[in-house]
Amino acid sequence: MQHTIAPQTGMPVVLGEEVEAAVAAGRPLVALESTIITHGMPWPRNVETARLVEADIRAAGAVPATIAALDGKLHVGLADGTLERLAQAEGVMKCSRADLAIALASGRPGSTTVAATMMAAHAAGIRVFATGGIGGVHRGAETSFDMSADLDELARTPVCVVAAGAKALLDLPKTLEVLETHGVPVIAYGQDAFPAFWSRDSGLAAPYRMDTARDIADLLDMRERFGGHGGVLVANPVPAEAEIPPAEIADAIDAAVGQAAREGIAGKEVTPFILSRIFEITGGRSLETNIALVRNNARLAAEIAVALAERVATGIR
Ligand code: PSU
Ligand code: MN
């Protein structure tokens, strides 16, 4: 049985059965986005990856909550058949903050980006969210003004996003500057450098470094005590054996970004276009790296969620 809850936000949220039980029992939960399924990876690797990621989270002792807009409701926790239909469907709306109410009001199916997934996770009371990479400030943003709504959402919504940094197709120094301006703590996990999605090291130092999930849980608890301020970005480097070194991915990125500009790709089409071009140019290697890093992020997010639940259980606050 699924129930519609009435969260503070008033969003029409439906919790999946397993998610509802976990929320009620205070068990650790990890939110997952669905744009990576509908717009980030090709069928059938998209649904295979979504299932692996959910299994990784369960193996680490937490409950996965994949989020999507369906039939005018924001579903938090998808049954396996629903996940598969979403992964195969044509014409699914890519929903960031601007699109979510349009999908919900019209009843059209919509997948959620980092921004929209943060909104839904917060409405459902989920504090940790795993994804691949966040959207950021695009190269050439000084003329195009293309900055992902993910950055704004991190500024306002108190959810911890675990990502492999931001893609090197973005302008990473500007992305870090905007996060700092918006008061978003950026923590590199287990290293000093800010990771660059397919590569472990962007060449930029991360503002902070933490080495354990416990330390991150301590930070999240402290931040929540400030009263509902924005999110935290945990930047978890791709596992070494799956990384594509910066010099090897750089040409593919330049070619894809250049083609997007020449073809006049704009708005929400930019990120999916560039990702699929890089997939083609690298002969599919970028997808293998993407899958490895998402799974790695899911495992760390689950550890953080477990550490948070333990703090509540032992009364540390
Ligand atoms: N990273 C990926 N695949 C993706 C995305 C990121 O490897 O599909 C998606 C995420 O949902 C992210 C979104 O929130 O792209 C950012 O899009 P935009 O730049 O239009 O905000
Ligand atoms: Mn954009």
Side-chain angles (χ1 to χ4, degrees):
M1 245 303 253
Q2 292 186 330
H3 294 282
T4 301
I5 60 163
Q8 319 86 307
T9 60
M11 288 166 91
V13 173
V14 176
L15 302 187
E17 215 175 310
E18 194 188 3
V19 171
E20 187 181 33
V23 169
R27 284 170 49 211
L29 283 139
V30 175
L32 295 164
E33 63 154 302
S34 47
T35 293
I36 192 168
I37 302 172
T38 58
H39 292 72
M41 292 184 184
W43 169 269
R45 298 301 297 280
N46 59 353
V47 68
E48 288 165 17
T49 304
R51 286 184 177 132
L52 286 170
V53 165
E54 291 203 349
D56 289 332
I57 289 169
R58 287 199 179 90
V63 172
T66 303
I67 292 171
L70 298 164
D71 304 319
K73 299 263 191 293
L74 198 46
H75 289 253
V76 178
L78 301 181
D80 190 66
T82 311
L83 190 70
E84 179 156 342
R85 277 195 300 282
L86 186 75
Q88 257 183 311
E90 305 273 336
V92 177
M93 282 177 73
K94 172 186 163 189
C95 293
S96 191
R97 171 171 275 271
D99 318 286
L100 196 52
I102 292 175
L104 293 170
S106 66
R108 284 175 63 186
S111 57
T112 52
T113 63
V114 168
T117 305
M118 289 180 78
M119 293 166 70
H122 181 51
I126 302 176
R127 299 155 83 188
V128 187
F129 160 27
T131 184
I134 61 158
V137 180
H138 282 258
R139 295 188 194 174
E142 57 275 26
T143 50
S144 70
F145 277 45
D146 188 351
M147 290 166 53
S148 175
D150 293 353
L151 298 175
D152 229 46
E153 207 58 48
L154 278 160
R156 67 168 107 184
T157 302
V159 169
C160 172
V161 179
V162 181
K167 288 174 224 81
L169 57 94
L170 301 168
D171 186 322
L172 296 183
K174 288 194 184 71
T175 299
L176 287 173
E177 287 293 350
V178 170
L179 288 166
E180 190 200 40
T181 301
H182 282 322
V184 179
V186 176
I187 319 294
Y189 185 69
Q191 66 178 28
D192 296 322
F194 185 68
F197 198 74
W198 298 289
S199 314
R200 288 172 63 81
D201 185 349
S202 64
L204 301 166
Y208 292 98
R209 168 189 179 148
M210 289 186 184
D211 294 300
T212 68
R214 276 292 289 273
D215 288 346
I216 296 168
D218 290 347
L219 162 69
L220 297 178
D221 246 3
M222 180 58 74
R223 207 157 144 87
E224 285 170 17
R225 282 195 246 171
F226 292 11
H229 284 288
V232 168
L233 177 61
V234 173
N236 186 28
V238 61
E241 64 278 10
E243 112 163 308
I244 306 179
E248 286 174 45
I249 195 80
D251 288 350
I253 293 172
D254 289 345
V257 170
Q259 189 180 345
R262 279 195 307 281
E263 295 188 12
I265 309 291
K268 57 199 279 196
E269 320 299 337
V270 173
T271 299
F273 178 90
I274 292 175
L275 282 176
S276 75
R277 282 301 297 140
I278 291 175
F279 168 76
E280 288 159 19
I281 296 167
T282 62
R285 185 175 171 201
S286 66
L287 177 61
E288 302 311 319
T289 302
N290 199 341
I291 292 169
L293 65 85
V294 177
R295 296 186 65 185
N296 192 47
N297 295 342
R299 287 186 287 263
L300 176 58
E303 276 182 53
I304 296 168
V306 167
L308 277 171
E310 278 167 4
R311 288 180 62 89
V312 174
T314 54
I316 309 170
R317 265 224 76 128

